[in-house]
């Protein structure tokens, strides 16, 4: 019998994927511009010198312009590279080389640093399907970021990037799920 939380997550993820697919390119571009400015503000307010983030996919809230800005500011950027064992390696990003990992997700082409490289960053920016108003994050079901965050002792601030309508009252929760410190949406920065 399926776990009720997992069944609820599956249904919510399907709704969110459909909403993301039906956004127009104009809506995505406007959202990406606003998110970029809010991420710049967040990184500047926190005086970030190093961060981990991810290369957004076409239907996701855009992170690429922010990553270009960070590279131009000489902020050290680490991006995740998925591993078959469910962990994430990290690789430096300079705004140039890009490939895909074994899951088909965008990844840098630079040298892999291993899972513990993230321990030295000042800010973690992660994807999410939805986040609730207490900071509980629902990812896309693979658990990579939950494992990473759950294994860190001195975790810096963690912010998820989502569209405004993906900040919801509650998300289904399982024991392994990890909360975030805040969200960045087209509408602004919300800290929990």
């Amino acid at each position: 019998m399926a776990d009720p939380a997992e069944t609820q997550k599956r249904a919510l993820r399907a709704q969110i994927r459909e909403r993301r697919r039906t956004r127009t390119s104009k809506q995505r571009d406007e959202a990406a511009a606003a998110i970029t400015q809010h991420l710049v503000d967040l990184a500047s307010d926190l005086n970030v010198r190093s961060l981990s983030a991810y290369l957004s996919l076409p239907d996701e809230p855009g992170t690429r312009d922010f990553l270009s800005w960070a590279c131009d500011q000489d902020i050290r950027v680490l991006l995740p590279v998925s591993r078959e064992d469910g962990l994430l390696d990290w690789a430096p990003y300079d705004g140039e080389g890009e490939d895909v990992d074994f899951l088909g997700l965008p990844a840098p082409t630079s040298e892999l640093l291993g899972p513990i490289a993230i321990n030295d960053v000042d800010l973690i920016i992660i994807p999410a399907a939805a986040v609730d108003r207490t900071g509980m994050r629902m990812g896309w079901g693979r658990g990579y970021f939950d494992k990473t965050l759950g294994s860190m002792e001195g975790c810096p601030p963690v912010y998820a990037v989502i569209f405004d309508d993906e900040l919801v009252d509650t998300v289904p929760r399982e024991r392994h799920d990890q909360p975030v410190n805040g969200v960045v949406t087209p509408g602004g920065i919300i800290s929990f």
Side-chain angles (χ1 to χ4, degrees):
M1 186 171 185
D3 177 14
E6 183 54 40
T7 301
Q8 292 170 347
K9 283 182 175 182
R10 204 172 299 120
L12 185 54
R13 286 182 188 118
Q15 291 173 353
I16 292 167
R17 280 189 185 97
E18 183 59 25
R19 274 200 314 257
R20 285 186 174 187
R21 255 192 305 274
T22 60
R23 290 185 200 279
T24 66
S25 59
K26 181 181 178 193
Q27 289 171 323
R28 280 196 291 273
D29 291 347
E30 289 172 352
I35 286 169
T36 297
Q37 186 57 57
H38 297 312
L39 286 169
V40 167
D41 293 344
L42 178 64
S44 299
D45 290 348
L46 295 175
N47 197 28
V48 168
R49 299 307 318 143
S50 65
L51 62 89
S52 70
Y54 63 98
L55 291 164
S56 55
L57 295 168
D59 287 347
E60 289 183 309
T63 61
R64 290 169 180 274
D65 290 342
F66 167 69
L67 294 176
S68 294
W69 172 85
C71 290
D72 290 345
Q73 301 301 307
D74 292 325
I75 295 173
R76 183 174 188 242
V77 176
L78 296 180
L79 299 181
V81 179
S82 305
R83 294 175 18 166
E84 291 186 39
D85 64 3
L87 299 177
L88 292 171
D89 280 328
W90 298 92
Y93 183 63
D94 61 5
E96 299 296 323
E98 189 175 318
D99 200 356
V100 293
D101 64 20
F102 87 98
L103 292 174
L105 299 173
T109 57
S110 56
E111 172 190 5
L112 294 180
L113 302 178
I116 64 170
I118 194 175
N119 290 335
D120 296 327
V121 300
D122 302 321
L123 173 65
I124 299 174
I125 304 294
I126 62 174
V131 177
D132 74 20
R133 298 188 188 286
T134 68
M136 186 51 58
R137 171 189 171 269
M138 184 182 78
W140 293 104
R142 292 188 181 109
Y144 281 90
F145 286 100
D146 289 319
K147 287 176 193 160
T148 298
L149 298 175
S151 70
M152 296 180 74
E153 287 184 29
C155 193
V158 178
Y159 281 75
V161 179
I162 56 175
F163 290 108
D164 292 310
D165 58 1
E166 295 164 358
L167 179 60
V168 298
D169 290 334
T170 185
V171 295
R173 181 179 181 176
E174 295 175 276
R175 189 174 55 198
H176 65 271
D177 292 331
Q178 297 294 314
V180 294
N181 300 100
V183 293
V184 178
T185 74
I189 302 167
I190 300 170
S191 297
F192 302 115

